[in-house]
Amino acid sequence: MGLVCAAGVVLAQSQVDPTRGETLARPCAACHGTPDRDPLPLTPSLARQPEDYTVMQLFLLREGLREAPQMAGMLKNITDPDFFDIAAYYARQAPARGTAKPDLQLRARGAALSREMGCGSCHLRDYSGQKQVPRIANQREDYLASTLKAYRGNQRAGPDTSMNGILYRVPDSDIEALAHYLAHQ
Amino acid sequence: MNTFLQNCLRSTRFKALASCALGLVGAYALAQQMVGPQTKPPSAKEVEQRKSKGGYYPERMKNPNLSGHAGRMTVTPPSEIPVDKIKVPKGFKVELWAHGMPGVRMMARGSKGTIWAGTRIIGRVYEIKDKGGARQHRILAEKLVQPNGVAFQGGNLYVMAINRVFRYDGIEDNPSVKPIELTAQFKLPPDVHHNWKFIAFGPDSRLYVQVGSPCNICEPSPEHGQIRRYIADGSGMEVVARGVRNSVGFDFHPQTGELWFTDNGRDWQAEDGPQDELNRVSKFGQFFGFPYCHAQGIPDMDFKKQDPCKGVTLPVALMGPHAAALGMRFYSGSMFPKEYVNSIFVARHGSWNRSTLFGFDVANVRAGADGKNAKVTPFMTGFKDPKENKFWGRPADVLLMPDGALLVSDDQNGAIYRVSYQK
């Protein structure tokens, strides 16, 4: 019952238009990729991200609260309702699957670290994300590693600071193992 | 799955609805499986490993997939703020006093009646003026890193973000004054987690500042986990309270002048605790137990030592499991009935690290000036629906007005309510 009710609330709040979102998001594909093409290095895949997550990040980027030089100026004419449509479009898009073979040892170490750090709690056990918490399964490895380091160094802010807390004093080697594991689901 | 649900719920055809209902049952079963308890509890070795990773134990909770509530960054129109759902004791009245300020949190009042309010993620400081029965606001500062702390003394407004400190001299007479930056003088650590500031001036004219522990549970470095005081220019720093996890509210007793503060209990130990604390500093530099001893003397499950509660000052009152007891003020006004005088109003922002919501209200605490015989009573409620386990509002701070009314900020709706009393 819980799931049905929760979904009801999501609908009530959003009269979203993913088709309009697709048009708005056309310029994004050059860097963020398409179902057939991976994003550029250090650039996140936006496909199948929870809508709340995409809306929140677009807001933070437009307001200059999250710094990403590549995004500077890209959102200046994008309004709040646009955010919801763009988010709806990406939430319905299938992510491209990377083909790189995992390093099994590194991947196993990452899996153990993920369990220790409770990643699967907020991001869910399949790392598909929920609410404002992103999908990290099969995200680009270089983007994951750089984002985790940015959280540790307090250069990246989320909707709260829990990621900064989790990454407190975590060494590079652990971050790299985690990123490898999450990128190879 | 989202697409599937949306298609289902949008469909108008009866047949389609029936098949949707069946599909939903299947989807629900799958979701149950996905969010079900983790397979096995961590081994002793794993517990040891997790200590250096912030101490996250989802398998100790009934719902292992708890995550923080997303704040709302967009403006909530007054028509979407159900003030009539708020409940207060007989004789009290609640009205929507100001709105349209996403993320509005900690409040301070100037000597000429201006209110300033800090925020977290949205990075703004709002300035609110009462214009003959209606309130107007402007954004005084923006793009700061969680400027949660605001305080006023001697005509000057102090704003404290996580990494920066500003002073606006004579701002009520000169609204366009450029702030003076005092960041270098205050020498605050750069960590962001649990380091959004609560600040207030004490009866000693010193500026009291919290510096939280940058983790859920850890052995914090010496500059963290404390409440400090400074001379207003940022010099003369002294540590007033130690062993503090994350305090986002304090005030000074109207009779004794002693510092009382709220402190948020750790997460991922259990559904029902350790509870948040209301503490009293009766001796300078007292130790309040973090990370070894919580609440009324509960040893930490992960950070263990012999006699963990030895030398620890225990709380005056427990404020509830994962309640997020934040802004608090003593009541020294004359509007409310006399039994409220010297009692404390505490904004309980509400739990996320708990399967069943707790808090989402303003509590009233009555206690002796010595901290004895404390009693906690919910005062302003109705922000959550216990049956649905959902909430619509989150009290973050309270502020006493000169006429004795109480302002309550709600960062989920970008609103400030006014609570008044009439016999």
Side-chain angles (χ1 to χ4, degrees), chain A residues 1 9 11 63 65 80 92 113 115-116 120-122 130 132 154 158 161 164-166 168-169 174, chain B residues 6 9 28 40 46 49-50 53 56 64-68 74 121 143 146 191-193 196 214 219 268:
Chain A
M1 216 36 216
V9 168
L11 249 194
E63 303 292 311
L65 298 166
D80 290 6
R92 287 157 181 76
L113 281 162
R115 191 171 143 77
E116 282 170 30
S121 175
C122 299
Q130 58 169 334
Q132 79 280 23
N154 300 313
T161 56
N164 308 94
I166 289 162
Y168 185 55
R169 294 175 179 163
D174 285 3
Chain B
Q6 300 223 344
L9 292 160
Y28 180 54
K40 56 177 194 245
E46 212 174 58
Q49 284 166 338
R50 286 195 201 186
K53 300 279 191 287
Y56 292 83
N65 293 125
L66 298 167
S67 70
T74 47
I121 193 67
K143 299 190 180 175
Q146 305 203 18
D191 309 275
V192 298
H193 192 51
W196 49 97
E219 180 72 74
W268 306 115

Side-chain angles (χ1 to χ4, degrees), chain A residues 108-119 173-175 177-178, chain B residues 53:
Chain A
R109 209 167 82 72
L113 281 162
S114 171
R115 191 171 143 77
E116 282 170 30
M117 296 168 77
C119 307
S173 58
D174 285 3
I175 286 180
L178 270 172
Chain B
K53 300 279 191 287

